[in-house]
Amino acid sequence: MVLHMIGLGLSDERDISVKGLEAVKSSQFIYLECYTAILMISRERLEEFFGKPIIEADREFVESGCEEMIQNSKDNIVSFLVVGDPFCATTHSDLYLRCVEQGVKVEVIHNASIISAVGCCGLQVYRFGEIVSLPFFSEKWRPYSFYEKIKKNRENGLHTLVLLDIKVKEPTEESLARGKKVYMQPRYMRTHQAAAQMLEAEANLKQNVYSEDTPCMGLVRVGTATQKIVSGKLSEFLKLDLGEPLHSFVICGEMHHIEEEMYNYFLYKEGQEGVKLIQEESKEESKSEDDEDDQ
Amino acid sequence: MVLHMIGLGLSDERDISVKGLEAVKSSQFIYLECYTAILMISRERLEEFFGKPIIEADREFVESGCEEMIQNSKDNIVSFLVVGDPFCATTHSDLYLRCVEQGVKVEVIHNASIISAVGCCGLQVYRFGEIVSLPFFSEKWRPYSFYEKIKKNRENGLHTLVLLDIKVKEPTEESLARGKKVYMQPRYMRTHQAAAQMLEAEANLKQNVYSEDTPCMGLVRVGTATQKIVSGKLSEFLKLDLGEPLHSFVICGEMHHIEEEMYNYFLYKEGQEGVKLIQEESKEESKSEDDEDDQ
């Protein structure tokens, strides 16, 4: 019959489109992709809103090909829910192709993604260069490949959207070696960690791609009631705690007049509501988080 | 009180989010921004769906500062509807700032935009460079500035999303000179026109940024029931008529394995449903369309 690939948007159960909700209501099976992005609400709340049970599709489910879901889609109406927009992750192209090869019709219902919603910070989406992903550094693995991409964007005067690492249902290295997976606690990179990692790359590669004074913006919980946008110099973000996930980060390129006005409107002000200063203890805590990878 | 800036998404009245619909239903005034993008359905259909009247906010309304809307937002709940995502056009930053300066709370409700939805063609959104806008050429005005941007993207192996010109409620030059505006018919650039203009730029600037054989993709009416994605060489698009607006175009950069598979899946096949061959007459027609600007 049909597989609806439905974007859930950025925040809660009411971000689904009317069309998406109708598709869900007509479905016999509902799967939720829950590893490339995180749902800001519980699965139970989503189930209650839909009045239907939801099957969680974790990393293993998706990477092993979603075979069960494709089979179900042959004779049923099935919904596959994806946080944000359904095509902002690679593996869904693979799913799409496998469906059409097996005669399953795929209907895509788009929704907001941070890639377009980033415009709410006032920087024009047309003036962004390549998107960069920033992974959690561990003691042994500190990849600086993002640095070169930011360099090219900045050479062209473009802004850079930095997507911060999400580790959900990641097996520990130790457990992989033993052959029996044990999963780590979910981890979400926050803007102060991102700032530290980026400054470390600059300190080591020394190509003056950016500096402590480079204008940046932190976008947290975009689309939720507690959304916050804060702008300031890169080094300022080292000491700002913007709270709960999800966090995204922007390195500003050349700003036009109206972009500058928005940047100034969002400037961090001392004692700003919802922004805490990083305490020494939480620095320690974030340090020990970093070490987790190396166990 | 509050101004809700609400994205309508890509296609019809049911692309609004549940949250957006609730905001509209609670509003005393509803404005529709109707010049930076086009609504694929009639305003009347939208009014019927909402059960409320909608005030059209055209270019003059928005550029003159939306004063009436801001004033109404001081004591009422107001919705400002924008096709796609509300922050994919500059002028809304300006509106945002003017609202907050005057004490009007602004709530943004995001939605799908072609900028993220472009992922449905199978190319990874992470591998796109700067977005390019392609304006209608006229006899006297043939700006090639897009060429340099595409060049940079291609040097970095990145894909380029080319947004095709939309001319809605454009006054004729003649009427501007006379001081009494007369508006042209709306015009929407289509992929065959885009291909012709891009090849002209290459023929004149000769920097081998792309060629007749460069892999490209046409994305038309994304998110609607008649959506079509077609891939092929740039020169092939010269002769393909992908039908009604809106059209977007992609110049592919280096493709990964799964991207290539999607590209091949969407390859134009002779006689493909919904794709017509450009006839000589329609070439003439598009030529005379081009000339309109020069009257």
Side-chain angles (χ1 to χ4, degrees), chain B residues 132-181:
Chain B
V132 162
S133 292
L134 189 60
F136 273 116
F137 287 175
S138 69
E139 211 160 294
K140 294 167 209 143
W141 193 66
R142 306 181 91 76
Y144 294 154
S145 49
F146 63 88
Y147 186 79
E148 196 58 34
K149 292 179 183 172
I150 297 174
K151 183 182 175 185
K152 285 177 184 160
N153 287 343
R154 289 184 63 79
E155 282 169 355
N156 294 323
L158 300 172
H159 315 305
T160 306
L161 171 60
V162 184
L163 298 177
L164 307 188
D165 204 359
I166 295 173
K167 284 198 185 297
V168 184
K169 219 175 172 187
E170 290 272 321
T172 63
E173 276 182 42
E174 194 192 33
S175 76
L176 279 177
R178 282 198 202 145
K180 194 185 165 196
K181 288 184 185 171

Side-chain angles (χ1 to χ4, degrees), chain B residues 158-225:
Chain B
L158 300 172
H159 315 305
T160 306
L161 171 60
V162 184
L163 298 177
L164 307 188
D165 204 359
I166 295 173
K167 284 198 185 297
V168 184
K169 219 175 172 187
E170 290 272 321
T172 63
E173 276 182 42
E174 194 192 33
S175 76
L176 279 177
R178 282 198 202 145
K180 194 185 165 196
K181 288 184 185 171
V182 175
Y183 297 101
M184 292 190 276
Q185 285 292 311
R187 294 165 68 202
Y188 310 102
M189 191 186 290
R190 298 192 286 154
T191 52
H192 66 278
Q193 297 166 318
Q197 292 196 176
M198 290 198 295
L199 285 170
E200 177 189 311
E202 178 60 59
N204 281 296
L205 302 179
K206 296 189 183 66
Q207 295 184 43
N208 294 313
V209 168
Y210 47 79
S211 73
E212 294 199 341
D213 294 332
T214 299
C216 293
M217 298 182 93
L219 286 81
V220 305
R221 302 178 298 280
V222 170
T224 73

Side-chain angles (χ1 to χ4, degrees), chain B:
Chain B
M1 298 262 284
V2 60
L3 178 70
H4 294 285
M5 293 177 70
I6 305 172
L8 289 180
L10 298 165
S11 163
D12 62 31
E13 71 279 7
R14 297 180 305 127
D15 282 327
I16 195 170
S17 66
V18 172
K19 194 178 282 174
L21 184 59
E22 288 171 359
V24 168
K25 298 245 181 197
S26 73
S27 293
Q28 277 92 50
F29 295 93
I30 303 164
Y31 294 87
L32 170 66
E33 196 269 59
C34 56
Y35 79 94
T36 55
I38 55 161
L39 193 63
M40 304 294 284
I41 54 165
S42 69
R43 190 195 67 198
E44 289 72 23
R45 186 164 148 188
L46 209 51
E47 287 180 322
E48 196 181 319
F49 183 69
F50 294 150
K52 298 203 171 202
I54 293 171
I55 305 157
E56 284 197 4
D58 62 12
R59 174 185 286 255
E60 283 162 56
F61 180 92
V62 176
E63 288 186 349
S64 70
C66 310
E67 198 50 44
E68 167 199 319
M69 184 168 70
I70 298 174
Q71 290 308 319
N72 279 332
S73 302
K74 287 185 177 171
D75 304 308
N76 298 281
I77 301 173
V78 175
S79 285
F80 181 55
L81 308 176
V82 181
V83 175
D85 184 86
F87 267 89
C88 290
T90 325
T91 40
H92 304 143
S93 284
D94 187 52
L95 172 62
Y96 182 93
L97 285 174
R98 296 191 45 242
C99 283
V100 294
E101 274 162 19
Q102 296 185 48
V104 172
K105 192 176 171 194
V106 181
E107 296 274 5
V108 178
I109 301 178
H110 292 285
N111 209 322
S113 150
I114 187 65
I115 287 163
S116 43
V118 64
C120 66
C121 74
L123 300 175
Q124 282 188 62
V125 288
Y126 305 100
R127 305 204 53 259
F128 278 75
E130 188 179 2
I131 294 167
V132 162
S133 292
L134 189 60
F136 273 116
F137 287 175
S138 69
E139 211 160 294
K140 294 167 209 143
W141 193 66
R142 306 181 91 76
Y144 294 154
S145 49
F146 63 88
Y147 186 79
E148 196 58 34
K149 292 179 183 172
I150 297 174
K151 183 182 175 185
K152 285 177 184 160
N153 287 343
R154 289 184 63 79
E155 282 169 355
N156 294 323
L158 300 172
H159 315 305
T160 306
L161 171 60
V162 184
L163 298 177
L164 307 188
D165 204 359
I166 295 173
K167 284 198 185 297
V168 184
K169 219 175 172 187
E170 290 272 321
T172 63
E173 276 182 42
E174 194 192 33
S175 76
L176 279 177
R178 282 198 202 145
K180 194 185 165 196
K181 288 184 185 171
V182 175
Y183 297 101
M184 292 190 276
Q185 285 292 311
R187 294 165 68 202
Y188 310 102
M189 191 186 290
R190 298 192 286 154
T191 52
H192 66 278
Q193 297 166 318
Q197 292 196 176
M198 290 198 295
L199 285 170
E200 177 189 311
E202 178 60 59
N204 281 296
L205 302 179
K206 296 189 183 66
Q207 295 184 43
N208 294 313
V209 168
Y210 47 79
S211 73
E212 294 199 341
D213 294 332
T214 299
C216 293
M217 298 182 93
L219 286 81
V220 305
R221 302 178 298 280
V222 170
T224 73
T226 64
Q227 165 177 322
K228 194 158 273 302
I229 300 172
V230 175
S231 60
K233 296 175 183 177
L234 178 52
S235 60
E236 283 185 277
F237 281 95
L238 291 173
K239 57 176 206 285
L240 300 182
D241 176 356
L242 302 186
E244 294 298 304
L246 287 178
H247 289 199
S248 302
F249 202 66
V250 172
I251 303 166
C252 306
E254 289 160 21
M255 285 187 268
H256 291 172
H257 173 64
I258 183 76
E259 293 181 313
E260 223 159 51
E261 273 189 67
M262 287 290 270
Y263 179 86
N264 290 332
Y265 172 70
F266 289 120
L267 268 180
Y268 169 69
K269 289 150 208 83
E270 234 182 88
Q272 188 173 346
E273 198 199 321
V275 182
K276 286 183 286 187
L277 291 183
I278 299 278
Q279 303 298 318
E280 284 310 308
E281 306 91 88
S282 57
K283 270 190 198 159
E284 279 312 303
E285 181 200 316
S286 95
K287 176 140 194 343
S288 71
E289 267 179 44
D290 279 357
D291 293 341
E292 254 173 51
D293 274 358
D294 311 313
Q295 289 174 353

